[in-house]
Amino acid sequence: MKNITVGITAHVDSGKTTLAEAILYKTGAIRSLGRVDNGNSALDTDSIERERGITIFASQAEFTVGDVRFTLLDTPGHVDFSSETERTMCVLDYAILVISGTDGVQSHTHTLWKLLQKYEVPVFIFVNKMDLIGADKSSIIGKLQSRLSPNCVDFSGDINDISENSASCSEALMEKFLSDEVLSSEDIAKAVRNREIFPCFFGSALRTEGVEEFISVLCEYTSEPQRGDKFGAKVYKISYDSKGTRLTHMKIMGGQLNMRDELSYIDTDGNEKNEKISSIRFYTGEKFRNAETSYAGEVCAVTGLSDTFAGQGIGYIKNSDRAYIEPVMTYRAMIPDEKNVYDALKDMRRLEDEDPQLHIVWNEQNREIHIQLMGAVQLEVLTRKIDEKFGYHVEFCDGAVAYRETIRFPVEGVGHYEPLRHYAEAHILLEPLPAGSGLVYDTVCSEDKLDRNWQRLILTHLAEKTHIGVLTGSPITDMKLTLVAGKAHLKHTEGGDFRQATYRAVRQGLRTAESVLLEPYYEYELEVPSENVGRALADLQYMSAEFGNPETVGGMSVIKGTAPVSELNNYQKEVIAYTRGRGHISLNTCGYRECHNAEKVIAETGYDCDSDIENSADSIFCSHGAGYNVKWNEVYEHMHLPFAARNDESDDDAEQKAIKVSKYIEKAVSDEELMAIFEMTYGKINREPNRAFKKTKAVNIEDKNIRLPKYEGPDYLLVDGYNIIFSWDDLKKIAEENLDAARGELIHRMCNYQCYAGCELILVFDAYKVKGRHRDVEKYCNINIVYTKESETADTYIERVTHTLSKNHRVRVATSDGVEQMIILGNGAMRISASEFRKRWLAAETAIKEYIDSMK
């Protein structure tokens, strides 16, 4: 009998747990078909899961079909619990990716697809909810092939159809198909195993339509990986049962595990542990069966191990690499007064065992517990778990973005620790690494100068501590820390001495280096009605977002890109407001980048690195039998060892100067410069220049059919800047490349038009998303440009100004915003649509050109 571990994953609300329930029911693993809506599904066993109707914790079930025994792992779909999903993927043989037939490939689907690529997991795709209106099979296949992989193949037909569809996925399959006219099950199964084919099925999990066919294909096209005889296991989850017993969930990758076997493993502190297995359990939902042995390929939960952790390798299996998904928010825990804070910390550490991505941080100086997590839903669940498990209520406050720090150039940090009868000196080379690399530790120190045992100890000290930066006190990342030199004393050096020297060396290096503040970024997918694209792009620009060309589907436009978490966190409410509930945004974390407003964040944090006595950059030296403190910037003058990795300072200076590019300063164009632009565009003017801008009698672009009352003073024209930019195709095309360039082009065009029309022209741009900004009004050549203040849109400003000006002046407003047009008419002003205004501008340009040509 072959053992296959299958994980089921999806974007939230795609019907993932419903499909898992249907599979278990059809295979006889459960007797009744539960429902997520009713809170009685077999795999969502936690009370919080049943209340909220979402999967929060990865759960396990078993079912058997013929000679195949499947272990099914149901993973969370909500983005806040993505780390649980990622940990589960490292033990999967195959994955089932569930796609909603009505929603298609969503933002979190892309994140899951990347994780499956990272862990090289073969994938079966089940397109769910095909019974609903709007689910189109051919459309879904096209989206899967374009947005996930061209090797997504429809497997809903017979073997001939499957063979023909699969043949195009690789040259080997094509050759086989052309020679045999059909592909064997073994050929297809091998291609699926090698991720050359991604089989796609269609059905309805709620109605159990297509589920039996899907199960039979799973049996036919899956194959068990090669298992070795040598024992090895991968831990993917830690949990506690109802009695408080610690469970280590693991997959046996090779050999077998017997009850009462003694396992040897390395705990999180680097210590070797030897503990005996007291029981082996196989779970299906809440229920489990005990067994004496777990064989290769099986997933089990064992008791008796006290210091295991998720991602740990046991036996010949290595520990997992750094997680792809990391928490982006940090909160401070408000512990009740009657609760001892150290007991609360112990409880929090237990929760961290279950979910390492919570990342509990203890602030000894302020006796505070800080916790890092993904978002508001996870925070709510955590509060409930503490209440239910430990019997007290914890509130979380000061929600802020979890920043990181790195360095821009390599630096050698020196730490010296020499109080009386102690001695240790360590030189650590700190080097920046590419984004997403995390921390890497190494040694190049000669064992002739420092014994191997001391070097191992230093590497342990480098890895055991969360080293924080000097800008905001945030953890450091994306660096390689290399031991390049060290010195011990035969008599006086103890293990704790190198701990102090190592910590101080890292800190001194950070203090000396040019530090860089990093912030987390979201990968977003914003869908808004097409008429709101201008507003959306303006928002995204002010939020320092990057975005591509909007994709228009029907009456909706989809904008994709990346933006800082700090800017996008609360944007969903605004999207709902300005689109009147029609728009929405999906977010997924995509790593850390250089902070877009570092100076502001550093100032608001108020972290003083020199006052942080727990993370000192100074060194301790000894003289005349007494230790004395040496400041970090004087350590190089007192250190006992020479530099091991001296840099050429002149080269560093030149490199730094090359990177510090001067900022672009936008200059106002003078009348002479503007005239030069006109002459370059239209030809040399051989007469008094100002006459070229006067309106000629030959051209009349006013609407003669409308008889207007007489007004006092000049006419006014108000132009909604971003509305016009995204209504005129040529400007819109420029904006897709560079919004600043499109804005500049519109300003130049309005200068031309104002000179021809002779009106007072006010060009209004949204700047309401720039925090703390006051309204700016600037005179550019012959027009007035208004940048609205914070919380004020261009629409609001124009509506108020037209109400005031229309009392004594003729006022026109150029915009295509339907609601704004009605308000403008109610204020007594006249409106010009974007298309009509373009005609008038083109007529003015033609008149100017003709007049200039006549003067040559």
Side-chain angles (χ1 to χ4, degrees), residues 675-811:
M675 185 54 60
I677 294 172
F678 273 118
E679 291 183 349
M680 192 164 36
T681 305
Y682 302 115
K684 182 68 176 175
I685 299 177
N686 298 320
R687 55 178 293 280
E688 207 281 324
N690 292 332
R691 290 184 58 192
F693 302 125
K694 292 184 179 179
K695 186 175 177 181
T696 65
K697 295 181 180 180
V699 178
N700 184 6
I701 62 172
E702 300 296 327
D703 190 347
K704 296 181 179 180
N705 296 324
I706 300 177
R707 299 188 65 179
L708 300 174
K710 294 183 179 180
Y711 292 100
E712 299 176 359
D715 295 349
Y716 281 84
L717 173 63
L718 281 79
V719 180
D720 189 339
Y722 288 123
N723 184 278
I724 297 298
I725 286 176
F726 292 102
S727 298
W728 292 7
D729 291 341
D730 54 344
L731 290 180
K732 182 179 179 181
K733 186 174 182 180
I734 297 173
E736 291 171 354
E737 302 268 340
N738 188 323
L739 189 58
D740 285 338
R743 187 167 54 235
E745 177 63 20
L746 178 62
I747 290 172
H748 288 307
R749 291 183 182 184
M750 292 303 98
C751 289
N752 292 7
Y753 184 79
Q754 190 280 333
C755 290
Y756 179 82
C759 59
E760 288 289 331
L761 194 149
I762 303 174
L763 182 57
V764 185
F765 291 106
D766 282 326
Y768 69 99
K769 285 300 293 180
V770 180
K771 296 181 180 179
R773 178 163 187 164
H774 302 287
R775 186 185 302 117
D776 289 338
V777 180
E778 64 180 48
K779 188 78 173 179
Y780 186 86
C781 296
N782 48 347
I783 67 174
N784 294 294
I785 303 176
V786 176
Y787 297 92
T788 61
K789 63 182 180 181
E790 181 185 359
S791 302
E792 182 185 45
T793 65
D795 298 353
T796 305
Y797 177 83
I798 291 173
E799 290 162 11
R800 186 174 62 255
V801 171
T802 54
H803 179 75
T804 302
L805 291 177
S806 60
K807 295 177 181 178
N808 301 311
H809 302 272
R810 180 166 57 182
V811 180

